[in-house]
mmCIF file with all atom_site columns, all heavy atoms in Angstrom:
data_model
loop_
_atom_site.group_PDB
_atom_site.id
_atom_site.type_symbol
_atom_site.label_atom_id
_atom_site.label_alt_id
_atom_site.label_comp_id
_atom_site.label_asym_id
_atom_site.label_entity_id
_atom_site.label_seq_id
_atom_site.pdbx_PDB_ins_code
_atom_site.Cartn_x
_atom_site.Cartn_y
_atom_site.Cartn_z
_atom_site.occupancy
_atom_site.B_iso_or_equiv
_atom_site.pdbx_formal_charge
_atom_site.auth_seq_id
_atom_site.auth_comp_id
_atom_site.auth_asym_id
_atom_site.auth_atom_id
_atom_site.pdbx_PDB_model_num
ATOM 1  N N   . PHE A 1 566 ? 83.211 107.165 80.018 1.00 0.00 ? 566 PHE A N   1
ATOM 2  C CA  . PHE A 1 566 ? 82.282 106.361 79.236 1.00 0.00 ? 566 PHE A CA  1
ATOM 3  C C   . PHE A 1 566 ? 81.865 107.129 77.987 1.00 0.00 ? 566 PHE A C   1
ATOM 4  O O   . PHE A 1 566 ? 81.536 108.316 78.065 1.00 0.00 ? 566 PHE A O   1
ATOM 5  C CB  . PHE A 1 566 ? 81.048 106.024 80.074 1.00 0.00 ? 566 PHE A CB  1
ATOM 6  C CG  . PHE A 1 566 ? 80.023 105.223 79.325 1.00 0.00 ? 566 PHE A CG  1
ATOM 7  C CD1 . PHE A 1 566 ? 80.162 103.856 79.187 1.00 0.00 ? 566 PHE A CD1 1
ATOM 8  C CD2 . PHE A 1 566 ? 78.919 105.845 78.740 1.00 0.00 ? 566 PHE A CD2 1
ATOM 9  C CE1 . PHE A 1 566 ? 79.224 103.114 78.488 1.00 0.00 ? 566 PHE A CE1 1
ATOM 10 C CE2 . PHE A 1 566 ? 77.977 105.110 78.041 1.00 0.00 ? 566 PHE A CE2 1
ATOM 11 C CZ  . PHE A 1 566 ? 78.132 103.732 77.909 1.00 0.00 ? 566 PHE A CZ  1
ATOM 12 N N   . PRO A 1 567 ? 81.879 106.463 76.826 1.00 0.00 ? 567 PRO A N   1
ATOM 13 C CA  . PRO A 1 567 ? 81.438 107.152 75.610 1.00 0.00 ? 567 PRO A CA  1
ATOM 14 C C   . PRO A 1 567 ? 79.997 107.635 75.748 1.00 0.00 ? 567 PRO A C   1
ATOM 15 O O   . PRO A 1 567 ? 79.114 106.885 76.155 1.00 0.00 ? 567 PRO A O   1
ATOM 16 C CB  . PRO A 1 567 ? 81.564 106.070 74.532 1.00 0.00 ? 567 PRO A CB  1
ATOM 17 C CG  . PRO A 1 567 ? 82.541 105.083 75.086 1.00 0.00 ? 567 PRO A CG  1
ATOM 18 C CD  . PRO A 1 567 ? 82.339 105.097 76.563 1.00 0.00 ? 567 PRO A CD  1
ATOM 19 N N   . GLY A 1 568 ? 79.764 108.871 75.440 1.00 0.00 ? 568 GLY A N   1
ATOM 20 C CA  . GLY A 1 568 ? 78.425 109.425 75.565 1.00 0.00 ? 568 GLY A CA  1
ATOM 21 C C   . GLY A 1 568 ? 78.380 110.523 76.607 1.00 0.00 ? 568 GLY A C   1
ATOM 22 O O   . GLY A 1 568 ? 79.392 110.916 77.189 1.00 0.00 ? 568 GLY A O   1
ATOM 23 N N   . GLU A 1 569 ? 77.178 110.993 76.864 1.00 0.00 ? 569 GLU A N   1
ATOM 24 C CA  . GLU A 1 569 ? 77.003 112.116 77.766 1.00 0.00 ? 569 GLU A CA  1
ATOM 25 C C   . GLU A 1 569 ? 77.168 111.684 79.228 1.00 0.00 ? 569 GLU A C   1
ATOM 26 O O   . GLU A 1 569 ? 76.768 110.580 79.603 1.00 0.00 ? 569 GLU A O   1
ATOM 27 C CB  . GLU A 1 569 ? 75.621 112.741 77.576 1.00 0.00 ? 569 GLU A CB  1
ATOM 28 C CG  . GLU A 1 569 ? 75.425 113.427 76.229 1.00 0.00 ? 569 GLU A CG  1
ATOM 29 C CD  . GLU A 1 569 ? 76.368 114.598 76.062 1.00 0.00 ? 569 GLU A CD  1
ATOM 30 O OE1 . GLU A 1 569 ? 76.538 115.370 77.032 1.00 0.00 ? 569 GLU A OE1 1
ATOM 31 O OE2 . GLU A 1 569 ? 76.958 114.734 74.962 1.00 0.00 ? 569 GLU A OE2 1
ATOM 32 N N   . PRO A 1 570 ? 77.749 112.550 80.067 1.00 0.00 ? 570 PRO A N   1
ATOM 33 C CA  . PRO A 1 570 ? 77.794 112.271 81.506 1.00 0.00 ? 570 PRO A CA  1
ATOM 34 C C   . PRO A 1 570 ? 76.376 112.169 82.078 1.00 0.00 ? 570 PRO A C   1
ATOM 35 O O   . PRO A 1 570 ? 75.425 112.721 81.530 1.00 0.00 ? 570 PRO A O   1
ATOM 36 C CB  . PRO A 1 570 ? 78.537 113.483 82.087 1.00 0.00 ? 570 PRO A CB  1
ATOM 37 C CG  . PRO A 1 570 ? 79.279 114.055 80.928 1.00 0.00 ? 570 PRO A CG  1
ATOM 38 C CD  . PRO A 1 570 ? 78.438 113.795 79.720 1.00 0.00 ? 570 PRO A CD  1
ATOM 39 N N   . LEU A 1 571 ? 76.261 111.449 83.191 1.00 0.00 ? 571 LEU A N   1
ATOM 40 C CA  . LEU A 1 571 ? 74.970 111.287 83.858 1.00 0.00 ? 571 LEU A CA  1
ATOM 41 C C   . LEU A 1 571 ? 74.871 112.222 85.054 1.00 0.00 ? 571 LEU A C   1
ATOM 42 O O   . LEU A 1 571 ? 75.853 112.448 85.773 1.00 0.00 ? 571 LEU A O   1
ATOM 43 C CB  . LEU A 1 571 ? 74.799 109.851 84.344 1.00 0.00 ? 571 LEU A CB  1
ATOM 44 C CG  . LEU A 1 571 ? 74.570 108.746 83.317 1.00 0.00 ? 571 LEU A CG  1
ATOM 45 C CD1 . LEU A 1 571 ? 74.446 107.405 84.041 1.00 0.00 ? 571 LEU A CD1 1
ATOM 46 C CD2 . LEU A 1 571 ? 73.332 109.013 82.489 1.00 0.00 ? 571 LEU A CD2 1
ATOM 47 N N   . SER A 1 572 ? 73.682 112.744 85.267 1.00 0.00 ? 572 SER A N   1
ATOM 48 C CA  . SER A 1 572 ? 73.371 113.477 86.495 1.00 0.00 ? 572 SER A CA  1
ATOM 49 C C   . SER A 1 572 ? 72.189 112.788 87.139 1.00 0.00 ? 572 SER A C   1
ATOM 50 O O   . SER A 1 572 ? 71.107 112.691 86.546 1.00 0.00 ? 572 SER A O   1
ATOM 51 C CB  . SER A 1 572 ? 73.037 114.941 86.180 1.00 0.00 ? 572 SER A CB  1
ATOM 52 O OG  . SER A 1 572 ? 74.176 115.620 85.686 1.00 0.00 ? 572 SER A OG  1
ATOM 53 N N   . ILE A 1 573 ? 72.401 112.258 88.341 1.00 0.00 ? 573 ILE A N   1
ATOM 54 C CA  . ILE A 1 573 ? 71.363 111.520 89.056 1.00 0.00 ? 573 ILE A CA  1
ATOM 55 C C   . ILE A 1 573 ? 70.936 112.335 90.260 1.00 0.00 ? 573 ILE A C   1
ATOM 56 O O   . ILE A 1 573 ? 71.792 112.811 91.025 1.00 0.00 ? 573 ILE A O   1
ATOM 57 C CB  . ILE A 1 573 ? 71.884 110.135 89.491 1.00 0.00 ? 573 ILE A CB  1
ATOM 58 C CG1 . ILE A 1 573 ? 72.230 109.298 88.257 1.00 0.00 ? 573 ILE A CG1 1
ATOM 59 C CG2 . ILE A 1 573 ? 70.855 109.410 90.338 1.00 0.00 ? 573 ILE A CG2 1
ATOM 60 C CD1 . ILE A 1 573 ? 72.817 107.943 88.581 1.00 0.00 ? 573 ILE A CD1 1
ATOM 61 N N   . PRO A 1 574 ? 69.641 112.543 90.462 1.00 0.00 ? 574 PRO A N   1
ATOM 62 C CA  . PRO A 1 574 ? 69.179 113.308 91.624 1.00 0.00 ? 574 PRO A CA  1
ATOM 63 C C   . PRO A 1 574 ? 69.765 112.753 92.920 1.00 0.00 ? 574 PRO A C   1
ATOM 64 O O   . PRO A 1 574 ? 69.758 111.540 93.156 1.00 0.00 ? 574 PRO A O   1
ATOM 65 C CB  . PRO A 1 574 ? 67.656 113.123 91.577 1.00 0.00 ? 574 PRO A CB  1
ATOM 66 C CG  . PRO A 1 574 ? 67.351 112.851 90.138 1.00 0.00 ? 574 PRO A CG  1
ATOM 67 C CD  . PRO A 1 574 ? 68.516 112.078 89.620 1.00 0.00 ? 574 PRO A CD  1
ATOM 68 N N   . GLY A 1 575 ? 70.281 113.658 93.732 1.00 0.00 ? 575 GLY A N   1
ATOM 69 C CA  . GLY A 1 575 ? 70.859 113.264 95.015 1.00 0.00 ? 575 GLY A CA  1
ATOM 70 C C   . GLY A 1 575 ? 72.326 112.917 94.962 1.00 0.00 ? 575 GLY A C   1
ATOM 71 O O   . GLY A 1 575 ? 72.991 112.831 95.997 1.00 0.00 ? 575 GLY A O   1
ATOM 72 N N   . VAL A 1 576 ? 72.868 112.683 93.761 1.00 0.00 ? 576 VAL A N   1
ATOM 73 C CA  . VAL A 1 576 ? 74.297 112.395 93.615 1.00 0.00 ? 576 VAL A CA  1
ATOM 74 C C   . VAL A 1 576 ? 75.001 113.700 93.280 1.00 0.00 ? 576 VAL A C   1
ATOM 75 O O   . VAL A 1 576 ? 74.729 114.311 92.249 1.00 0.00 ? 576 VAL A O   1
ATOM 76 C CB  . VAL A 1 576 ? 74.543 111.345 92.510 1.00 0.00 ? 576 VAL A CB  1
ATOM 77 C CG1 . VAL A 1 576 ? 76.051 111.109 92.333 1.00 0.00 ? 576 VAL A CG1 1
ATOM 78 C CG2 . VAL A 1 576 ? 73.842 110.042 92.853 1.00 0.00 ? 576 VAL A CG2 1
ATOM 79 N N   . LYS A 1 577 ? 75.898 114.118 94.155 1.00 0.00 ? 577 LYS A N   1
ATOM 80 C CA  . LYS A 1 577 ? 76.472 115.457 94.043 1.00 0.00 ? 577 LYS A CA  1
ATOM 81 C C   . LYS A 1 577 ? 77.766 115.492 93.248 1.00 0.00 ? 577 LYS A C   1
ATOM 82 O O   . LYS A 1 577 ? 78.689 116.230 93.557 1.00 0.00 ? 577 LYS A O   1
ATOM 83 C CB  . LYS A 1 577 ? 76.671 116.037 95.444 1.00 0.00 ? 577 LYS A CB  1
ATOM 84 C CG  . LYS A 1 577 ? 75.356 116.191 96.204 1.00 0.00 ? 577 LYS A CG  1
ATOM 85 C CD  . LYS A 1 577 ? 75.550 116.741 97.600 1.00 0.00 ? 577 LYS A CD  1
ATOM 86 C CE  . LYS A 1 577 ? 74.217 116.874 98.328 1.00 0.00 ? 577 LYS A CE  1
ATOM 87 N NZ  . LYS A 1 577 ? 74.381 117.387 99.699 1.00 0.00 ? 577 LYS A NZ  1
#
Side-chain angles (χ1 to χ4, degrees):
F566 179 81
E569 293 297 317
L571 289 179
S572 294
I573 297 177
V576 177
K577 298 179 180 179

